[in-house]
Amino acid sequence: MMLPLFVAVIYKEYNSVVAFTIACAISFGLGIITTSILGRSSSTEALRYTDSYFIVSFAWIMSSVLAAIPFVIQGSIPNVIDAFFEMCSGFSTTGATILTNVEALPKSMLLWRSETQWLGGMGIVVLMVALVPNLGVKAQNVASAETPGPTVTKLTSRFSDTARSLYIAYVILTVILIVLLLLGGMNMFDAVAHSFSTMATGGFGIYNDSIAHFHSYYITWVITIFMIIAGTNFNLFFTMLGGKIKTALADEELRLYAGILAISTTLITISLLFQGGYKNTFKAVTDAAFQVATMISTTGYATTDFNLWPAFCKMVLILVMFTGAMSSSTAGGIKIIRVLSVFKMFKREVRVRLHDNIIDDVKYNGTKISGEVMMYMLSFVITFLMTLGIGTMLVSLRSNADLVTDFTAVLSCISNVGPGLAQVGPIENFHFYSDFSTFVLALIMIIGRLELSTFLIMFSRYYWNRHRV
C-alpha cells in the first residue's frame, strides 16, 4: 500500500493519505505479531503438505480484508461487505465491481484497485516465495495451492528461483505494455493502471466506459494482444528463450488456445456483419477479437455493450468464459488443458467401446497422462459445475435479479471474468446485490482463483482430523 500512499501524497488526496497510513500501520502491526508468534513456535518445520491449503486460503482472505480497509476509512466504499467484495475481485483478478461511478474515486484508490489485481495475477503466495524463500515448508507445496493449472512446473532447481524468474518476466511484460500504451497517447497514470489490470487479466478500469473511453484502435489492439499473452502459459516463454521455439509452438494447449481464439473471433465477426448491424468490417473484427480475448483470458474489459449483440455471439462468449485460457497463466476459468484432456478421455472411451482389444492411452504433448491426473482433471470440471450450480442457488436466495443475471454473475465470479449478461453486463455492475449475495460472490471469486479444491477442501471434516497425514 506504499505505492498508492505515495500517489495520494502527490495528488494531495489527504483523506486517502490518512486511510492508507492507518491501513499500513494495521498490516505492519499484524505482521510483527504474526512473525513474533511464529518465531517462538517450534512446529514450523512440521508443516505438512495439506497445511498449505489453509495457509494459502487464509492468506488470500486476510489480504482482501486488509486491502479493503483504505476504502472503508476513506469513504469510497463505506459498506464493509462491498469493500471486501471489491478487493476479492481485485486479488482474484475478476474485475467485477459494486462501484457505479469509478471516475469519482481518488487517483490513489483507483491505482490501489489496479495494483491488487497485478499482485493477485501471479499470486500473493508466489510473490512471498520469491522474496522470502525460507518458509519452513516446501515452497512448491505452498505455491501449488494457488497457482492456476493442474501442475506447478519448476523452471529451476529451487522453486524460489522459479518464482523470481516468473515475476521478472511478469514485470518486464508489464513495463513493455506501459511503454506501448504511452506511445498510444495514454498519460502515465492511465498506462500504469491499465497495464496492471491487463497483465493480471483483471479488468479493473479507471473510466466508466472501460477501454471504449480512449476511442483508439491502436490501444484496443495493444491491449488485445497483451490479454492474449497474459493468458498464455508463462513457462512457454522460458522454453522459447531457451531456444526451443518449435517445442513451445508445438504445445497442444497453445495450439488449441490459438484455435479457439481464431475460430471464436471469426464466428462472432461473421455474426456481427450479418446479424449485428455492423457495416465496418475492421470494427467488427476489432470488437470481436477484443471481446473474445477479454473473455477467454478472463480480463473483463469492454469496448462495446455485447449485451446488445446477437444471441449467437453471446453464446460463443459464454463458452469461452467456461474454458478460460492456458494453465500457469494469470487467467481463470476451467483452463484449456483440462478441457483438452477431458475431450481426449471422451474420445478414448468411444474408441475403447468400438474396439474391445485396443490399447489407447491419453497423451499430452506425446506423454501419457496418468490415471490419477486424469481423474483430478475430471473431478475439477465436475466440482466447477457443482460449485456453479450451488453458487447460483445461494446467490438467488437474496436476489431480485433474473436467472440469467444470477447464473452469469456466478459464472463470471468463479471463472474470474468480471462481466456477465443482463443486469451484470459489460456496462452494468454488481451494486444491486444484497450483502448476503455480495459476500457469497466474493467468496466464489476466491474459490475460483484458488482452483476450487484449495478452498473447498477445508469444508471436509476429514481435513480437520488431527490424525490425518
Side-chain angles (χ1 to χ4, degrees):
M1 286 186 263
M2 295 301 293
L3 178 59
L5 174 58
F6 179 68
V7 170
V9 172
I10 292 176
Y11 286 96
K12 298 179 181 180
E13 298 167 351
Y14 299 116
N15 287 340
S16 298
V17 171
V18 173
F20 280 112
T21 300
I22 294 173
C24 285
I26 293 173
S27 299
F28 185 76
L30 287 175
I32 292 295
I33 294 171
T34 306
T35 304
S36 177
I37 293 173
L38 291 177
R40 292 194 300 268
S41 173
S42 60
S43 61
T44 305
E45 294 296 335
L47 287 173
R48 295 163 292 187
Y49 172 74
T50 49
D51 293 324
S52 61
Y53 296 123
F54 177 81
I55 293 171
V56 170
S57 298
F58 184 76
W60 280 73
I61 294 295
M62 280 305 299
S63 294
S64 299
V65 170
L66 293 172
I69 293 174
F71 289 99
V72 177
I73 295 176
Q74 194 272 338
S76 296
I77 310 178
N79 184 299
V80 174
I81 300 297
D82 285 347
F84 177 68
F85 173 93
E86 198 76 10
M87 289 299 90
C88 286
S89 180
F91 281 119
S92 67
T93 72
T94 302
T97 182
I98 50 82
L99 294 168
T100 56
N101 182 15
V102 295
E103 294 179 30
L105 265 65
K107 295 281 189 181
S108 54
M109 292 297 171
L110 289 173
L111 182 63
W112 180 227
R113 289 171 79 240
S114 297
E115 188 187 346
T116 57
Q117 295 203 316
W118 192 83
L119 291 170
M122 191 59 70
I124 301 169
V125 178
V126 170
L127 175 61
M128 182 172 66
V129 168
L131 298 178
V132 189
N134 300 317
L135 296 176
V137 62
K138 287 185 178 180
Q140 187 170 358
N141 291 347
V142 179
S144 64
E146 78 163 8
T147 304
T151 59
V152 177
T153 304
K154 288 174 64 177
L155 303 174
T156 58
S157 58
R158 298 176 66 228
F159 189 78
S160 57
D161 293 334
T162 297
R164 276 192 290 274
S165 298
L166 289 172
Y167 256 100
I168 289 171
Y170 193 47
V171 170
I172 290 173
L173 287 170
T174 303
V175 171
I176 292 173
L177 179 54
I178 290 173
V179 172
L180 291 175
L181 292 178
L182 288 172
L183 293 175
M186 277 193 187
N187 60 47
M188 178 58 77
F189 181 85
D190 288 2
V192 171
H194 284 93
S195 295
F196 278 175
S197 294
T198 301
M199 281 311 303
T201 62
F204 268 159
I206 60 177
Y207 296 104
N208 293 329
D209 49 357
S210 190
I211 305 302
H213 173 84
F214 298 100
H215 303 287
S216 169
Y217 280 123
Y218 171 84
I219 289 175
T220 299
W221 275 104
V222 166
I223 290 179
T224 299
I225 292 169
F226 272 82
M227 286 191 295
I228 293 171
I229 291 173
T232 305
N233 188 328
F234 271 63
N235 296 325
L236 294 181
F237 296 136
F238 289 93
T239 302
M240 291 180 183
L241 289 174
K244 300 179 180 178
I245 298 177
K246 288 185 178 181
T247 301
L249 295 179
D251 183 83
E252 291 183 42
E253 187 185 21
L254 178 62
R255 289 188 171 188
L256 182 56
Y257 179 46
I260 292 174
L261 283 166
I263 293 172
S264 300
T265 300
T266 301
L267 291 175
I268 290 178
T269 300
I270 293 172
S271 179
L272 290 177
L273 291 172
F274 287 93
Q275 294 179 299
Y278 275 64
K279 303 300 180 183
N280 186 324
T281 302
F282 183 70
K283 178 171 173 52
V285 172
T286 300
D287 284 353
F290 185 90
Q291 290 307 144
V292 169
T294 197
M295 297 302 267
I296 196 170
S297 68
T298 68
T299 304
Y301 281 139
T303 54
T304 184
D305 184 5
F306 56 77
N307 247 337
L308 304 177
W309 284 3
F312 176 79
C313 297
K314 290 186 281 189
M315 192 66 226
V316 173
L317 293 178
I318 288 177
L319 289 175
V320 298
M321 281 174 67
F322 269 104
T323 64
M326 297 180 67
S327 58
S328 296
S329 68
T330 59
I334 292 176
K335 301 294 184 304
I336 289 175
I337 190 172
R338 292 193 180 102
V339 175
L340 177 62
S341 298
V342 170
F343 174 76
K344 286 189 172 186
M345 279 187 258
F346 174 75
K347 182 179 177 182
R348 174 186 176 277
E349 286 302 311
V350 172
R351 287 172 58 85
V352 168
R353 287 179 182 273
L354 293 177
H355 306 280
D356 294 336
N357 299 322
I358 193 173
I359 299 176
D360 190 12
D361 295 325
V362 177
K363 295 181 179 181
Y364 174 70
N365 287 339
T367 303
K368 178 183 176 181
I369 302 177
S370 67
E372 182 181 356
V373 173
M374 285 194 294
M375 287 304 299
Y376 169 72
M377 290 186 177
L378 187 59
S379 66
F380 178 93
V381 174
I382 294 172
T383 306
F384 183 96
L385 297 176
M386 289 178 61
T387 306
L388 175 60
I390 295 172
T392 303
M393 291 176 63
L394 289 174
V395 169
S396 64
L397 283 175
R398 299 293 299 275
S399 169
N400 294 320
D402 58 90
L403 179 60
V404 173
T405 297
D406 289 340
F407 176 77
T408 57
V410 175
L411 174 59
S412 171
C413 287
I414 195 174
S415 297
N416 304 136
V417 176
L421 297 176
Q423 291 177 248
V424 289
I427 63 171
E428 307 294 340
N429 53 65
F430 290 66
H431 76 280
F432 60 87
Y433 276 115
S434 65
D435 284 349
F436 174 79
S437 297
T438 300
F439 183 72
V440 171
L441 288 169
L443 292 182
I444 287 174
M445 286 188 279
I446 298 296
I447 290 171
R449 176 58 180 82
L450 297 183
E451 297 284 281
L452 305 183
S453 61
T454 297
F455 191 91
L456 294 178
I457 200 171
M458 291 190 299
F459 289 93
S460 169
R461 63 187 178 89
Y462 297 106
Y463 180 81
W464 299 103
N465 185 345
R466 64 187 182 89
H467 298 298
R468 63 185 170 86
V469 178

